[in-house]
Amino acid sequence: MGELVTVRAFEGLTGEVLTEARARVAAAAAAPGVGTLVEGLRIRLAAVAGGVLAQVNAEVDGRRIRVQEATAGLGDSLDRVSDALRTRIRAVSEAWAPLPWPGHRTAAPTGPGGEPVREPWVVRRKEPSLVWCSPEAAARTMDAMDYDIHLFTDPATETDAVVYRVGPTGYRLARTVPAGPAGRRTSPITLSPYGAPRLTEAQAVDRLAGAELPFLFFAHPASGRGRVLYRRFDGRLGLIAGHT
């Protein structure tokens, strides 16, 4: 499988390091007990504040997954991302089970004095065609891709919505407009009674930075489409906006 693993890395890494990264991730995907089809392994190694981010994307029996770990050194990042990959492959190959809360989350990047890294402007934009699916399906995708929040369109209300990781149950649903529960659920997803605030991009950036939030769900002031502003591992901001 090693020849199918691609690596994208920051400058300064030697060919030997990239070969090792490719071999370790391939070995994790083919570990005894995994017992499933893993394809399209893509590794990204990025320099972030205070260390290295290792991210792996793959397909497991047709389902997309992602794992990522940020540590002080490259070796630690590869150790942790390989372990996380084995665990994620097994998890998505079985029936979905809610993850414990709060669980492990990688710490946000900090500066030399321990202060949060802040660059209050958007450096990456994504405009996907949002998937129409149930909140439970959105939560499963969020877990498989190691997101803290996932933007989708809720067919029960035909409006954009998010599921995100939060206590006490670990999962919460919020929509662009207030709405009651969409029928009976067996999953532990709580419902926010409030619609998303309508904000311009500049207003959303100010609110996220002012409150030191990890992400912000809001609606476009004109179209009402859902948007997610989030903090990247490097401390800068990304924006996900539903394709119009």
Side-chain angles (χ1 to χ4, degrees):
M1 181 182 292
E3 68 275 12
L4 301 179
V5 184
T6 59
V7 184
R8 181 162 58 93
F10 58 91
E11 293 183 4
L13 295 183
T14 65
E16 289 80 4
V17 170
L18 302 184
T19 298
E20 179 187 0
R22 184 180 294 108
R24 292 177 66 177
V25 168
V34 170
T36 192
L37 179 62
V38 182
E39 298 178 304
L41 282 159
R42 301 179 304 281
I43 306 169
R44 183 170 74 93
L45 303 175
V48 296
V52 175
L53 168 69
Q55 181 186 96
V56 178
N57 289 266
E59 289 189 5
V60 179
D61 289 335
R63 176 180 288 276
R64 291 191 307 133
I65 67 168
R66 184 189 73 160
V67 293
Q68 56 185 7
E69 295 288 343
T71 62
L74 179 59
D76 289 340
S77 290
L78 290 175
D79 287 341
R80 287 171 55 171
V81 82
S82 296
D83 289 342
L85 179 62
R86 283 189 288 266
T87 300
R88 185 65 45 78
I89 290 171
R90 292 191 180 99
V92 301
S93 301
E94 301 170 352
W96 179 67
L99 296 177
W101 178 258
H104 165 70
R105 300 306 306 173
T106 304
T110 57
E115 73 280 1
V117 175
R118 298 189 186 92
E119 292 189 33
W121 58 84
V122 175
V123 298
R124 187 177 186 188
R125 302 171 188 274
K126 303 177 185 178
E127 295 187 355
S129 296
L130 300 185
V131 174
W132 286 57
C133 65
S134 68
E136 288 79 7
R140 182 173 181 176
T141 297
M142 178 176 67
D143 289 349
M145 297 299 291
D146 197 25
Y147 297 150
D148 288 322
I149 185 169
H150 182 50
L151 180 65
F152 67 105
T153 300
D154 181 7
T157 58
E158 298 186 357
T159 60
D160 295 340
V162 292
V163 288
Y164 57 98
R165 296 283 288 158
V166 71
T169 67
Y171 300 88
R172 193 163 179 81
L173 167 68
R175 300 184 177 105
T176 50
V177 297
R184 182 180 177 182
R185 280 201 192 96
T186 58
S187 59
I189 301 177
T190 59
L191 175 67
S192 171
Y194 308 106
R198 294 206 171 204
L199 302 171
T200 65
E201 183 177 310
Q203 290 170 331
V205 168
D206 287 345
R207 182 172 296 193
L208 184 78
E212 297 187 1
L213 299 170
F215 54 77
L216 177 67
F217 173 50
F218 66 104
H220 188 279
S223 69
R225 294 301 305 270
R227 294 184 159 195
V228 172
L229 186 68
Y230 64 96
R231 293 187 187 276
R232 294 156 39 101
F233 267 94
D234 58 11
R236 294 177 291 179
L237 303 182
L239 178 70
I240 304 173
H243 181 69
T244 56

